[in-house]
Amino acid sequence: MNAPAYNFAYLDEQTKRMIRRAILKAIAIPGYQVPFASREMPMPYGWGTGGVQVTAAILGPQDVLKVIDQGSDDTTNAISIRKFFAKTAGVATTTSTDHATVIQTRHRIPEASLHESQVLVYQVPIPEPLRFLEPRETETRRMHALAEYGLMHVKLYEDIARFGHIATAYAYPVKVNARYVMDPSPTPKFDNPKMDNCPALQLFGAGREKRIYAIPPYTQVVSLDFEDHPFEPYRFNAPCALCGAEDSYLDEIVTDDKGSRMFVCSDTDYCEGRQAAGHRGALSAAPYKDKAQGEANG
Amino acid sequence: MADLLETDQPLLIADSLSKSYGRIAACRDVSFSLYPGEVLAIVGESGSGKSTLLQLLSGQLAASGGHVSYRMRDGVTRDLASLGEAERRLLFRTDWGFVHQDPAQGLRMAVSAGANVGERLMAVGWNHYGRIRESASDWLTRVEIDVARIDDAPRTYSGGMRQRLQIARNLVTGPRLVFMDEPTGGLDVSVQARLLDLLRNLVAELHLAVVIVTHDLAVARLLSHRVMVMKGGRVIETGLTDQVLDDPREPYTQLLVSSILPP
């Protein structure tokens, strides 16, 4: 049997055209959720079917693709999607944030600052920021249409009433271009400030919910808050154990069953870049790392 | 002088309102004017069109015929049908209140009492947690709910407390007109009495205009200035509460009044 002949980037051209139309509309109305005819993809919902469709629709033969999952280039989800496009589109892939032209991400924004020639594609599980407070889709659409966003503050109020501070740590609601309230997908709120006035185009795809939305380059993105409880990004108060970074978002890794743990950068590319540049954290004495970097550099 | 003008003109005007569902006429040719600070009770048995009328008045249902006009805060009287959806919804959460019979319909059962009261404030742009909370506790006190319960969800409240919370939630933006649909239905008698007492005080204190739908004549007698008796979608008798209840003219009203069981 012959190997299946895929169209470039898996989806057929008509489908890609349909998705591109949705993307264009999304860019024209920043933060507005555009419905689109989401396709079945050869992966389960929740693994990035929305992001993959957006990526497939915008990918060109010259593009260099990077895929991250929680900041990491080497988890199953990231590797699978990267391989998927290497196979179906034959595009070059990379783990370097700087060299990539299209970055598909699950739940993180890279630490390195993005530039104008890049597109950041988010995988979104639940695009509707009002969903958990208002279960009716007809009603949430009307609320968006009329810019009735008081309910969003009810959620933040509840946080403060219960925990004394705004305890929402991820999927922190933002207002885009002073109009639509948007769920930035479950990125940590640490990443919210990076969305504001970002030079790169940001696209959001929700496959199961069949929605695409976008933040065009250099668009104002404001995190919602109260005057007396202003928005604050959160990060563990520790340096990265591998590269010593004090400014990156950290993952907590449990290292044994006796309560030991370490904090490392969630963005592996950033962490490796810093280590290659000679930065060291408290636990980075592993000699194989130095060797591996020696080879990479050599 | 301005005050005189304020109370001199009707707040809400119903002009030959009708509503039919197919061949069934739920409401026929209802007209009246409601003045600021006035409490109007609509009484009648179930199926008489009370609730339909309330929904027509509050703009939740489009009338088959006739108009409802409301004097907005800027003093201009406007036809509700001519308002855009955004304006109507804004009116609904600022200048109006709607107290449902079932508090679960009017409250968000899963969020705290404080947030329930604060929601309207946040909807009109309040952005200071401390002030929202202060206002919420103030209102809880006014409806006789222990402020210590401010962070509890209404799920954990008793029926009477829920109803009082719903009232607080509606009054927090200082509305001028409140619609009530059987506010004391489903409450036991002593709780009813307390709620009615509270309502009567609040209505007088805040100079609220109220349209209250009830089948309980005692509620009408206690709260309202005027009564409209409905039967088969028509208003069959209207007048001052004492007059209608003590000296009913229509046979049906006489029947209604005489069917109250003596204690």
Side-chain angles (χ1 to χ4, degrees), chain B residues 124-159:
Chain B
V124 295
W126 282 41
N127 197 17
H128 190 286
Y129 175 80
R131 281 201 280 274
I132 293 168
R133 199 172 169 79
E134 201 178 304
S135 179
S137 6
D138 180 41
W139 270 101
L140 289 185
T141 318
R142 290 179 80 165
V143 297
E144 300 167 15
I145 293 175
D146 184 1
V147 176
R149 302 285 310 263
I150 188 169
D151 291 332
D152 296 345
R155 265 202 295 253
T156 66
Y157 280 20
S158 70

Side-chain angles (χ1 to χ4, degrees), chain A residues 33-89:
Chain A
Q33 299 167 45
V34 183
F36 79 110
S38 176
R39 298 291 196 253
E40 294 266 347
M41 296 303 282
M43 59 194 328
Y45 286 130
W47 284 68
T49 52
V52 161
Q53 290 180 72
V54 171
T55 303
I58 61 169
L59 214 55
Q62 306 305 319
D63 272 318
V64 182
L65 178 69
K66 170 183 163 84
V67 184
I68 51 174
D69 171 8
Q70 308 272 10
S72 169
D73 289 288
D74 47 16
T75 60
T76 316
N77 198 194
I79 291 173
S80 307
I81 294 174
R82 203 156 58 223
K83 278 188 178 165
F84 176 78
F85 283 114
K87 184 172 180 181
T88 60

Side-chain angles (χ1 to χ4, degrees), chain B residues 194-207:
Chain B
R194 205 168 139 209
L195 186 75
L196 285 174
D197 193 39
L198 176 79
L199 272 178
R200 193 162 56 165
N201 287 338
L202 284 174
V203 163
E205 192 183 321
L206 302 169
H207 198 61

Side-chain angles (χ1 to χ4, degrees), chain A residues 133-135 139 142-143 146 148-151 153-158 160-162 225-229, chain B residues 85-86 89-90 93 108 110-112 114-115 119 122-123 126-133 136 150-151:
Chain A
L133 293 150
E134 178 52 67
E139 186 66 13
R142 188 166 290 140
M143 289 160 81
L146 301 173
E148 283 180 6
Y149 291 128
L151 207 50
H153 274 92
V154 171
K155 179 173 152 53
L156 302 180
Y157 174 99
E158 280 294 279
I160 303 173
R162 269 187 218 165
D225 59 4
F226 286 107
E227 281 164 29
D228 48 346
H229 286 268
Chain B
E85 193 179 10
R89 285 170 71 109
L90 182 71
R93 57 171 196 262
R108 288 187 193 280
V111 307
S112 71
E119 182 178 342
M122 294 184 245
W126 282 41
N127 197 17
H128 190 286
Y129 175 80
R131 281 201 280 274
I132 293 168
R133 199 172 169 79
I150 188 169
D151 291 332

